[in-house]
Structures are given as C-alpha cells and as structure tokens.
Amino acid sequence: MYDHILIATDGSDLAKKGVDQGLALAARLGAKVTIVSVSEPLDARALRAARMAGVEDPVGRYDQSVDEEMAKRFASIRQRAAEKGVAVELTHEIDEHPAEAIVRLADRINCDLIVMASHGRRGVRRLVLGSQTAEVVTSTTRPVLVIR
C-alpha cells in the first residue's frame, strides 16, 4: 500500500507521537522511511540584535546550535526506529517555509505518504499560530496522515 513514508518532525512532544505512529505503520507495511526536520534560517532581526549585543559570528553560532539539536533529535529517532526494526533516512532542511520544504522533499523522493502531527487548532487560533500541517495538506496531492 505505502512503500515510502515521509515523516515530518519539529522535535516537539506531539511530533514525537507522529514519528512513533509513522514508524509503527512503516514496520507493519515494510515501508521505507525518510524523516525530515525543517529549521527556519536565522531571522534578520535576531541577527541584528546579536550583532548589536556583540555576539561574534551569530550565524555560525546559530548553525552550530541547530546542528547540535538535530544530532540529539536524530539520535533519538534512530533508536526508536531500531527498536521497531525500521531503517530510516534522516534529513534536515533549512527553509523559511517548512511546509513548502516538506512538500518539495516528498515530491523529490517520491514518497507515497506524509505523516505529520497537528494540534488540531481551528479558526482564529490556527490563523494566528499557523499550521504547517494544514499547509502541507492543502498544497500536496499525496496522502497525509495527521496524528493528533
């Protein structure tokens, strides 16, 4: 049914639930899994503030911080995947628009299911807080499994 599952995570507790559900599904189906985490680039205002505060190489420090976070996140995912007997490919993208990056990756690797978590907010709360999951659902033709 599904041969290649793309699982998107931001490292939150809810996203971890989505990863676990996606890995469990992949284990049952014998599907290939790619895990993606998308980070936004350093905001220009934060960059200016860091420079004004005398921080040396704020971009380098930000990149190092993101790399350290990804290493921790991916180590945990590798362990959970191994426990379920699922081989995973892990990828990290940097993009101002995480939903667009997820859809582009899904197209590039030709996955047949995207798994993501969502808080399920509606109305004004969704508009104010934004929802990467909602953006992915509305901008792809691929099936999306939303974990809540």
Side-chain angles (χ1 to χ4, degrees):
M1 176 174 232
Y2 298 115
D3 297 317
H4 190 177
I5 299 172
L6 175 63
I7 304 172
T9 180
D10 64 5
S12 67
D13 287 339
L14 182 60
K16 288 176 187 174
K17 183 177 174 184
V19 169
D20 289 337
Q21 291 286 319
L23 291 173
L25 178 62
R28 287 191 175 159
L29 298 175
K32 176 180 176 181
V33 174
T34 300
I35 307 270
V36 63
S37 197
V38 182
S39 300
E40 293 184 23
L42 182 61
D43 180 81
R45 290 176 298 202
L47 178 61
R48 280 192 301 275
R51 285 187 175 142
M52 289 175 60
V55 174
E56 289 185 38
D57 190 20
V59 173
R61 291 180 79 179
Y62 176 77
D63 290 346
Q64 180 182 2
S65 173
V66 169
D67 289 345
E68 290 169 2
E69 172 62 28
M70 288 303 109
K72 284 186 227 173
R73 185 178 302 167
F74 286 168
S76 172
I77 292 170
R78 270 190 206 94
Q79 179 181 357
R80 295 189 338 257
E83 290 169 0
K84 290 179 175 25
V86 176
V88 295
E89 182 175 325
L90 302 158
T91 187
H92 175 234
E93 302 277 332
I94 297 177
D95 197 296
E96 289 180 15
H97 307 285
E100 292 176 16
I102 292 165
V103 171
R104 273 195 315 273
L105 178 62
D107 291 343
R108 189 170 72 235
I109 65 174
N110 197 30
C111 74
D112 42 26
L113 177 68
I114 301 170
V115 177
M116 300 180 70
S118 175
H119 290 282
R121 294 184 176 104
R122 296 179 184 192
V124 174
R125 285 181 64 194
R126 186 181 76 79
L127 290 174
V128 171
L129 297 171
S131 172
Q132 298 304 314
T133 304
E135 287 185 44
V136 168
V137 168
T138 59
S139 61
T140 186
T141 58
R142 299 177 189 283
V144 180
L145 175 60
V146 179
I147 307 299
R148 291 177 44 163

